[in-house]
Amino acid sequence: MTRGLTGAVLAAILVLAGTAWAGVRLDPPRPRPGDLFRISWRPEVGGGPWRVRFDGREFPLWPGRDGVWEGLAAVEATAEPGPRSLEILGRTGPVARQRIEVAPRSFGEQRLRVDPRLVNPDPEDAARAAREAKRIREVLAWVSRPRLWNPPFLLPARGPVSSPFGVRRVYNGEPRGYHSGLDIAAPRGTPVRAAAAGVVALADELFYTGRTVFLDHGLGLFTAYFHMDEIRVRPGQPVAAGDVLGVVGSTGRSTGPHLHWGAYLEGVKADPLTLPGLDGRPGRRSGAGVARGAGAKEP
């Protein structure tokens, strides 16, 4: 019955039906809350640009080899496990749908004692923190092109993990949100290196995160580096993977020298250990990667 139909006509039928179960490949196939996951999809007809819609957000795809389009998507750390629908979007709407399963994940809890001023700031500090939070949201909302990174991503510093992504934080007995990144306990003055090529989107000292750098890697992907003693880059500066951004410190809301390392995709906070092809080498150097262990924590 469809022998005489052209590929374009078939694609139009799929768009109208909106129920095509396409060969969308995911890595990992069952992402967890807080995970970044890779998407591969080969359209039956030409066209584009293509996007992915997942959990109410859209993520861009880019052309890869042999007609395959690739992309990244992210699962919110607060997402409930269970089935989801992932859609491929063209210019006129959905062209394919795929059912996926979000796997369960347990994060645990962490209790910390910090300066009370950094838990319940006075009105002046609270206003400053609110302005800075708005500024960060504006930075993360920018979707630049082209994609600047290529796997593997590199660890930005050497040291044990003192606080993993996603743990629920209780400061001075008061529950707050979850830990939005990964803490690497490293000595003060340790070089902090870019995890991948990008452009410096923000470099400044902020109330909670201290001396802070955000890198824009293109297509909505950012990495963040908090609590440094020194910043050695400036906004708008291009950097290559492994370039020095600053040095480890303990500025902002911090209990000791360490690096807080974060990842964001289209504004979704993600576990940086799920960045594509993560390499266990700090910067360009060979050596030990991040290991579990005790150390300073970013509250």
Side-chain angles (χ1 to χ4, degrees), residues 45-254:
V45 294
W50 308 104
R51 309 181 311 283
V52 167
R53 182 158 60 201
F54 174 73
D55 263 6
R57 292 181 182 265
E58 293 186 10
F59 305 93
L61 297 178
W62 58 85
R65 296 180 179 177
D66 303 322
V68 174
W69 285 68
E70 301 174 345
L72 283 177
V75 186
E76 294 272 8
T78 55
E80 293 293 329
R84 298 286 198 283
S85 177
L86 180 147
E87 294 180 312
I88 304 293
L89 305 177
R91 294 182 184 277
T92 58
V95 299
R97 287 196 178 116
Q98 182 91 12
R99 177 188 167 110
I100 71 171
E101 187 80 15
V102 172
R105 184 177 187 181
S106 177
F107 291 111
E109 183 181 272
Q110 192 173 45
R111 293 178 172 269
L112 299 167
R113 302 297 301 181
V114 298
D115 183 343
R117 183 179 69 90
L118 296 172
V119 180
N120 296 297
D122 62 31
E124 182 178 351
D125 286 337
R128 173 190 170 186
R131 290 193 303 271
E132 292 171 350
K134 181 176 183 289
R135 182 180 174 193
I136 290 172
R137 288 194 300 271
E138 291 170 348
V139 166
L140 296 176
W142 177 254
V143 179
S144 62
R145 285 178 166 77
R147 178 172 62 98
L148 300 175
W149 60 270
N150 285 300
F153 276 76
L154 306 174
L155 292 172
R158 183 196 305 264
V161 172
S162 57
S163 184
F165 173 87
V167 293
R168 312 302 168 181
R169 286 288 179 77
V170 179
Y171 306 129
N172 300 351
E174 298 186 33
R176 289 294 189 267
Y178 64 89
H179 190 214
S180 64
L182 172 82
D183 285 353
I184 301 173
R188 191 184 303 272
T190 300
V192 174
R193 299 176 182 272
V199 174
V200 178
L202 186 152
D204 204 351
E205 183 162 4
L206 308 181
F207 180 72
Y208 283 121
T209 58
R211 294 191 177 102
T212 297
V213 169
F214 278 83
L215 294 184
D216 178 1
H217 302 288
L219 297 184
L221 181 63
F222 292 79
T223 53
Y225 311 78
F226 297 169
H227 307 299
M228 292 187 287
D229 262 4
E230 297 177 23
I231 296 174
R232 297 182 180 175
V233 291
R234 63 188 185 279
Q237 178 180 335
V239 297
D243 282 357
V244 174
L245 307 175
V247 300
V248 169
S250 186
T251 55
R253 188 165 66 183
S254 172

